[in-house]
Amino acid sequence: MDQNKQGEAAEGGNIGHPAHGKNQEEQSNPMIAPTNPPKKKSLEEQLNDFWAAQREEAKMTTNFKTHSLPLSRIKKIIKTDKDVKMISAETPVVFAKACEMFIKELTIRAWANTEARKGKILSQRDLVSAISQTASFDFLDDIMPKDAGLPRTSIASTENAYLNMPPQQNVAGLPYDAPTMAFPNLNHHAPN
Amino acid sequence: MAGVREQDQYMPIANVIRIMRRILPAHAKISDDAKETIQECVSEYISFITAEANERCQREQRKTVTAEDVLWAMEKLGFDNYAHPLSLYLHRYRKTEGEPASARRASASASPSMQMHPRTHPHSHPPNYSHHGFGMFDFDPSSQGFYRDDASSSGSGGFVASFDPYANIKRDPL
């Protein structure tokens, strides 16, 4: 179902093209659209729509001055790889767009997991599950917390924990040493 | 949260959340651990793609990682869906922003209609975006190793200079 609905969702790149603001809104409609209460789009359909929207959006972009993510931060992250000497000015621009797509794809997949377990909060385990289900996300396995699989054996208590003890969940979800440890391996990471 | 340096390893969480909310239904909530996990995933994604792109550069005995190298790496690493719209995006970027380096230098000095932002960053930030709210940019090339081989890229002038190596051999993927 291809429906455009009025919405306030608009990205910097779409400022001059409200039609794509609607198109972007369409991405979230399948999950809440009242016109389709009995059936929601499958994850595959959502992703197909998402990628079609990305291609259309890329064609229509006119504002390259505003990015969803700061280029300076992207440069710093790129430069954590000591082997990288120089990067062209276009490289962080392309990464800004790529990371936006990455965040969105990961969010779509994770939210599908949230819905599958009848949850209302997109949580870390939804992300861990989405990553384990997606081949192109294999490179993320090393930085995923190992204990994230544990809550799946006791959904009820986990739900309570999320609702009643968010600070504790924060503590449990702070593996900040792990990414740092993992970075040296990145330089020699072989593709699957 | 650790120090500023660690903050600089991740995308600002407000930007990440804003992007997530565009794709989620209005009633959706995001747990704090999910927000942090996504931040880590994004940095890992950048490093993963960059490493592959850089390997190609080195094999071909080039020093500058280009946008084409990034797109090539994405296709090789299973991100074909990304490479296609990004090629379109890059093509349009070059038509609107990516004039040849010599023309850019000339137009910059002649006050072009589309003025470059006077700030260090060659882009403007979205409304409500607060850089320093997520940790000061404690930029020190000697201690962090950033830009040690590309010091000129840290300023707006560097933005222009970094185009020079590819002024004559830029390829159009389309």
Side-chain angles (χ1 to χ4, degrees), chain A residues 126-147:
Chain A
D126 299 319
L127 288 167
V128 173
S129 187
I131 287 162
S132 68
Q133 294 160 1
T134 311
S136 57
F137 292 162
D138 280 352
F139 69 98
L140 296 169
D141 289 343
D142 290 342
I143 66 168
M144 286 299 103
K146 302 308 176 187
D147 60 349

Side-chain angles (χ1 to χ4, degrees), chain B residues 79-95:
Chain B
F79 293 98
D80 321 54
N81 283 330
Y82 292 65
H84 185 196
L86 288 172
S87 293
L88 300 173
Y89 184 81
L90 179 60
H91 184 66
R92 285 194 59 82
Y93 175 79
R94 286 174 171 165
K95 285 205 292 184

Side-chain angles (χ1 to χ4, degrees), chain A residues 55-73:
Chain A
R55 286 191 290 273
E56 287 303 310
E57 183 183 312
K59 292 179 188 174
M60 301 302 294
T61 305
T62 55
N63 179 5
F64 292 94
K65 296 294 186 184
T66 304
H67 302 280
S68 298
L69 298 163
L71 300 189
S72 59
R73 190 70 61 90

Side-chain angles (χ1 to χ4, degrees), chain B residues 42-116:
Chain B
V42 176
S43 295
E44 192 76 2
Y45 175 70
I46 294 173
S47 298
F48 182 57
I49 300 294
T50 298
E52 189 68 29
N54 194 49
E55 279 187 21
R56 184 202 197 201
C57 255
Q58 294 184 335
R59 278 200 303 272
E60 300 181 2
Q61 297 177 359
R62 290 184 280 107
K63 287 187 175 180
T64 303
V65 178
T66 66
E68 283 90 355
D69 295 322
V70 170
L71 296 182
W72 174 88
M74 287 180 183
E75 292 206 21
K76 189 176 181 207
L77 298 172
F79 293 98
D80 321 54
N81 283 330
Y82 292 65
H84 185 196
L86 288 172
S87 293
L88 300 173
Y89 184 81
L90 179 60
H91 184 66
R92 285 194 59 82
Y93 175 79
R94 286 174 171 165
K95 285 205 292 184
T96 60
E97 302 287 323
E99 68 267 31
S102 57
R104 177 175 286 262
R105 279 196 300 266
S107 61
S109 61
S111 303
S113 58
M114 294 183 67
Q115 284 184 326
M116 298 291 291

